Amino acid sequence: MNKSLLLKQYFLTKYGRRFTTREKLLAFHDKKMKNHITFVLKHSTFYKELYKDVLNNHNWKSLPIITKSDMMDSFNELNTVGIKKEKAFQLAFDAEETRDFSPRIGNVSIGLSSGTSGNRGLFLVSSREEAMWAGTVLAKMLPSSIFREHKVAFFLRANSNLYESTESGKISFHYFDLLDSFPKHIERLNQLKPSIIIAPPSMLRMIATWKDKQIISISPEKIISVAEVLEDLDKSYIENIFEQTLHQVYQATEGFLAATCSYGVLHMNEDLISVQKEYLNKEKGIFVPIISDFTRKTQPIIRYRLNDILIERKTACPCGSHFLALERIDGRCDDLFYGENLLTNEETCLFPDFIRKSIMISSNQILEYKVIQREFNLIEIKLKVESDEEAVKDLVLAELQKLWKHYQLVVPQFQFTPYDIVTSDKKLKRIENRMKVKSNDSII
Ligand SMILES: [Zn+2]
């Protein structure tokens, strides 16, 4: 690990870069992107080919958009270090199997994104990029100086060189494998007494329950939610028990994309990436981000469409940052719900946020929930409630029917099943589309 580079990036992120206006930030993006594209055209045959007919177009914001499947299909030609897809996959799968996440090819770490088999992404990060990543993460997320002692407990499905790279000076990093048993987690948490906990919200909720029942005795300074959509219901539960603001990191294998400021508001990391919005619903500020990372040279990510739905924040954040502020991460594009328009018979989508709001306003007795679209006309609902289960079901049913009617959609069958979700290493989605065939038709 290049410690001096890590520290340089830490200080640059924390104190060095101040954008006093949004215009200055955009000018910074322009400059960075122009330099980056010059580099990429020299070293990536994929981008050279992709841009060959638009090279005279100086506006990088209108360059062709790529997706994960483009990136994976052209993996060998896209990366700038000559790493072959087959070898990288082999190494990444072996690491998952043996739970030894340290192998590299040369100085490049290999990361594997979660996803269904055949749809998993491979991500390459050089040791230089790793040091820069670590410096940025520490600058944005540490509750106090890098020179103070911090004990970080990190709950993830898989470890990575990237995460270990944040170990620096007095900062110790402790990986908790989500595949390990709860008694093991409880024992380790009690021994370690971490000052920072980073985990998916479903795991954080479990840890909060243990604290509530006094099974664990820990008082972390900062708690950070990662890897799953953070629902308001879980957020307030965790915040109440730990008596502090729950922070968030929006980190994908595609990069370190957003982090919360001291006010707990998510801001896109526009000091590392430029974000363009493909609106799904402009009025409600719902969009899919197209990201361009001007710091990643090993596997350049330019005009890359993520599969996520984000909702922009309509009001300025009190922290004063000009980085794009988000109301929330709504979910994956795959988890849009679909209905049939009463008048035109066209398929129309409903955003996870609509479903979430309907559930939340229906009753304050709901402790946990899950809503699944099974089929076009069948929605399954699981509720864990404090009391009056039958009455709550009626209220939820009425709200959901109202939602479908509001958008002039054929009201589907709503089926209640017992709440049987347990905390596990599987990603928890509270709003999930499990239809076999999904549509991509008109968007509300
Ligand atoms: Zn802020």
Side-chain angles (χ1 to χ4, degrees), residues 260-267 317-321 325:
T260 43
C261 65
S262 56
Y263 289 84
V265 172
L266 263 176
H267 290 270
C317 181
C319 77
S321 167

Side-chain angles (χ1 to χ4, degrees), residues 140-141 222-225 230 232 235 239 244-250 258-268 313 317-320 324-329:
K140 293 195 183 218
M141 302 317 292
K222 188 162 186 173
I223 307 172
I224 303 168
S225 160
L230 177 63
D232 295 345
K235 185 172 187 277
E239 286 184 336
Q244 60 183 282
T245 300
L246 177 59
H247 285 270
Q248 275 189 81
V249 160
Y250 175 27
T260 43
C261 65
S262 56
Y263 289 84
V265 172
L266 263 176
H267 290 270
M268 295 299 288
R313 192 183 147 102
C317 181
C319 77
L324 177 64
L326 301 178
E327 198 57 49
R328 63 163 57 258
I329 297 164

